[in-house]
Amino acid sequence: MLIDSHAHIYLDQFDEDRLEMMDRAQQEKVLKIYMPNIDSTSIDSMLEVYDQFEQFTFPMMGLHPCSVKKDFERELYLVEEWLEKGSFIAVGEIGTDLYWDKTYFAYQQEAFKVQCELALQHELPIVVHCRESIDETIELVQPYIERGLRGVFHCFTGDIDQAKKITDLGMYLGIGGVATFKNGGLHKVLPEVDMHRMVLETDSPYLAPVPHRGKRNEPSYIPIIAQRVADLTNLSLDEVSEITTKNAQELFHPK
């Protein structure tokens, strides 16, 4: 069994063939798909997919850093309300992003801190976005790790030192399609990382692995990523599948 620990399969890119996409995932033994939220505009569609595929999909609740604007406090109130009344496996997708726009970085940091507190309150892991801001986000999360917070740095694209800082905190690395990119850099990192600190993800519909790069990504491509990890770590595909699946279950379903 494989787990896609990060996929936005509720987005409109899947509206035309969502059922077929789910069938393809199950045929590839991807039997669980974890869905991070983006903001208030994505909640309804995410929960509709959850209702339709309740046995296979697991929703999260959070505010994506790229959706953090001046009104972020209103968005966070909604996150808090949903966490109180819903059944979610994580607080996510949260974090920081210095790639697109640095204007709201201070707001992103504040939103991240609030959501870390919510995760501790609800005893949930966090799913961390940190594009072009890995070091800043490691520094932000460290005080919460000391208080028992756990989670994953999703779509990890950093170097060996950053990977070890994250895993030394007891957090996981989300490994996706970038691992298959010729210039992705992870061929240097993954052989040096403890396999018991990795989970697999697609980040669908984004970042499709080679040979599908540039096209829509989907959970059925997880075996491609697993095979790449196996090749880089000198493990078998079965070993990578077993270890990463166990890791995801321990992180998101600890009880």
Side-chain angles (χ1 to χ4, degrees), residues 70-196:
K70 289 183 179 179
D71 65 345
F72 76 98
E73 291 180 340
R74 184 178 65 181
E75 288 275 347
L76 289 181
Y77 285 132
L78 287 174
V79 169
E80 187 172 8
E81 287 177 6
W82 276 105
L83 286 171
E84 289 289 346
K85 64 184 179 181
S87 179
F88 301 97
I89 62 165
V91 176
E93 170 176 1
I94 69 175
T96 62
D97 191 301
L98 290 175
Y99 179 79
W100 293 110
D101 186 352
K102 301 176 177 62
T103 306
Y104 298 107
F105 187 59
Y107 293 157
Q108 289 179 13
Q109 293 178 79
E110 182 61 28
F112 181 73
K113 292 175 182 178
V114 170
Q115 291 180 98
C116 285
E117 292 289 352
L118 288 173
L120 285 169
Q121 178 183 331
H122 291 277
E123 298 183 341
L124 293 173
I126 58 173
V127 173
V128 181
H129 174 108
C130 53
R131 191 173 188 186
E132 300 292 336
S133 57
I134 296 176
D135 292 329
E136 293 87 347
T137 310
I138 291 172
E139 185 175 345
L140 279 171
V141 80
Q142 192 158 359
Y144 300 97
I145 299 296
E146 294 168 358
R147 294 168 56 194
L149 188 63
R150 63 193 194 281
V152 55
F153 273 62
H154 123 82
C155 192
F156 180 77
T157 56
D159 59 28
I160 294 172
D161 288 342
Q162 291 168 327
K164 289 187 174 179
K165 285 179 182 178
I166 292 166
T167 57
D168 284 349
L169 290 174
M171 297 194 77
Y172 292 82
L173 304 176
I175 306 301
V178 174
T180 70
F181 297 175
K182 183 177 180 180
N183 297 317
L186 291 183
H187 63 287
K188 299 178 182 178
V189 176
L190 296 188
E192 306 298 324
V193 174
D194 181 0
M195 176 61 64
H196 294 87

